[in-house]
Amino acid sequence: AFFCDGTYTYYLQKDGTPMKDRLTYHPNGKNIIYLDSNGHEIFDNFVDVKRSISGDPVNDTCYFDTFGYMYVDKTTYDRSGVNLYYLNPYGVMQKSGWFQFSDGNYGFANDDGTLVKDKFFIDLWGRTVYCKGDGKFARETITDGVWYYEMDPNDGHLIRQYKKEFNYFAIGNSLTTHPIMDGIWWGNWGMAASTRENDFVHKVCSSLEQKYTVHSNAIYYTSWETAADRNSQLSILDPYLNADLDLVTIQLGDNITGNFGTLTSDYQNLIGYVRSKAPHAQIRVIDQFCWPNGTIQQAQQTASS
């Protein structure tokens, strides 16, 4: 019979003495419990269980839950909530090296039984693997927010790493991009920039490349600024707009000298057209770089709000 003295639980044998230093089955016949050297049943704790296998003494670390049941084929944290352990299908804490979970995945246990987790590691064959928060190899693509790591779905080793692809399209006048023209402009980049790397489009790309693999394109679109009917120019953008775009910048206004009466609606129509063709993109309208004009700036702000 079980007996509790108000602090400890004992199992009293037929002769009335408490069972000590023994693993035994709970009366439910399913779960294993442990009585320590004082006869106390162990609850919610790790314990070194001394037993003999084939006549040899064995000291195994096991874990018993709130009900006193031995953890079998389960992971658990210690009371710090930081260190994770695996109790194998025999109920013994896994220690000292590589091991296989019952589901076939792998993990690594330090000498004290703590599992390697939330970090990259080198496996037995010298390959890079990632031990997740549960101590098991990642077998899918994972990311740290900057890099993506493609892990083998079978054994979890790193196949390749890459940055997320980012698609950027810049719509603008000569400050965005300008073709080479004899006697006027010598480089296929934004006019007035000293080098290709220093125009605003390439500076945007340089910033994005800190996190992404960037694919960019730009169009010299001054025809929209100077057209009597600006909406007639929208279809020119069709080859460049698609649902894969992540960012579109619109830098137009420096060459506008007339047709101010429709300017706000023209900007609105341009933004709406871009949004209809590139529904997932962020759209940013850029203020004038040269010769600021209050009417143009107000139309840009109104159309962007």
Side-chain angles (χ1 to χ4, degrees):
F2 284 93
F3 172 76
C4 180
D5 64 4
T7 303
Y8 298 106
T9 299
Y10 304 83
Y11 181 71
L12 304 180
Q13 303 173 98
K14 287 185 177 181
D15 63 359
T17 61
M19 181 180 288
K20 299 181 180 180
D21 282 330
R22 285 281 304 276
L23 290 169
T24 189
Y25 278 100
H26 187 274
N28 64 21
K30 297 178 180 180
N31 300 105
I32 295 174
I33 62 173
Y34 180 65
L35 292 308
D36 68 12
S37 59
N38 295 310
H40 303 157
E41 185 177 357
I42 300 299
F43 296 96
D44 198 23
N45 208 353
F46 293 94
V47 66
D48 289 332
V49 176
K50 299 176 182 179
R51 51 183 169 167
S52 176
I53 297 180
S54 300
D56 297 321
V58 176
N59 192 13
D60 291 327
T61 302
C62 303
Y63 181 78
F64 299 87
D65 67 14
T66 304
F67 301 101
Y69 302 159
M70 175 189 279
Y71 261 25
V72 177
D73 191 24
K74 293 182 180 180
T75 55
T76 187
Y77 285 92
D78 62 12
R79 291 176 180 175
S80 72
V82 175
N83 298 313
L84 183 67
Y85 303 85
Y86 175 60
L87 292 309
N88 67 24
Y90 301 100
V92 177
M93 180 188 291
Q94 200 71 45
K95 298 181 180 180
S96 305
W98 294 105
F99 67 91
Q100 195 168 20
F101 289 93
S102 59
D103 65 2
N105 209 333
Y106 286 89
F108 186 90
N110 296 306
D111 290 345
D112 63 358
T114 54
L115 299 187
V116 171
K117 63 184 180 71
D118 296 321
K119 66 182 294 185
F120 287 97
F121 209 66
I122 303 300
D123 71 7
L124 283 168
W125 297 274
R127 302 174 305 184
T128 299
V129 296
Y130 185 80
C131 298
K132 299 189 295 184
D134 61 1
K136 298 180 179 180
F137 286 4
R139 295 184 176 183
E140 67 280 351
T141 298
I142 58 175
T143 182
D144 58 13
V146 176
W147 287 95
Y148 284 75
Y149 304 89
E150 183 180 347
M151 317 305 290
D152 188 278
N154 297 310
D155 58 30
H157 77 274
L158 177 65
I159 298 174
R160 67 186 180 109
Q161 67 182 75
Y162 57 92
K163 290 184 179 179
K164 179 183 177 182
E165 293 189 352
F166 192 96
N167 298 303
Y168 169 38
F169 177 44
I171 302 169
N173 55 36
S174 61
L175 295 173
T176 291
T177 186
H178 195 287
I180 296 173
M181 297 180 65
D182 290 341
I184 297 178
W185 189 240
W186 59 89
N188 192 18
W189 63 78
M191 187 174 281
S194 57
T195 64
R196 180 177 183 273
E197 292 74 22
N198 285 330
D199 73 11
F200 92 88
V201 172
H202 291 94
K203 283 188 173 291
V204 170
C205 289
S206 179
S207 177
L208 290 170
E209 284 167 356
Q210 302 301 310
K211 293 187 66 173
Y212 306 103
T213 297
V214 179
H215 305 286
S216 65
N217 211 336
I219 184 173
Y220 177 53
Y221 196 53
T222 299
S223 63
W224 182 89
E225 295 176 303
T226 58
D229 178 8
R230 297 187 179 98
N231 294 330
S232 68
Q233 304 298 303
L234 296 178
S235 62
I236 296 173
L237 301 174
D238 286 352
Y240 305 94
L241 296 174
N242 57 70
D244 293 330
L245 286 172
D246 298 293
L247 173 66
V248 176
T249 55
I250 300 174
Q251 179 269 311
L252 294 167
D254 303 280
N255 299 305
I256 293 176
T257 58
N259 296 326
F260 290 103
T262 62
L263 189 55
T264 297
S265 62
D266 289 341
Y267 272 115
Q268 289 172 331
N269 290 337
L270 173 58
I271 294 169
Y273 193 82
V274 171
R275 184 173 288 117
S276 69
K277 301 286 186 177
H280 307 300
Q282 296 185 54
I283 303 172
R284 295 289 181 264
V285 177
I286 299 171
D287 199 359
Q288 289 178 281
F289 286 175
C290 308
W291 315 294
N293 180 301
T295 300
I296 295 173
Q297 290 175 323
Q298 183 59 55
Q300 290 175 326
Q301 292 174 16
T302 299
S304 301
S305 62

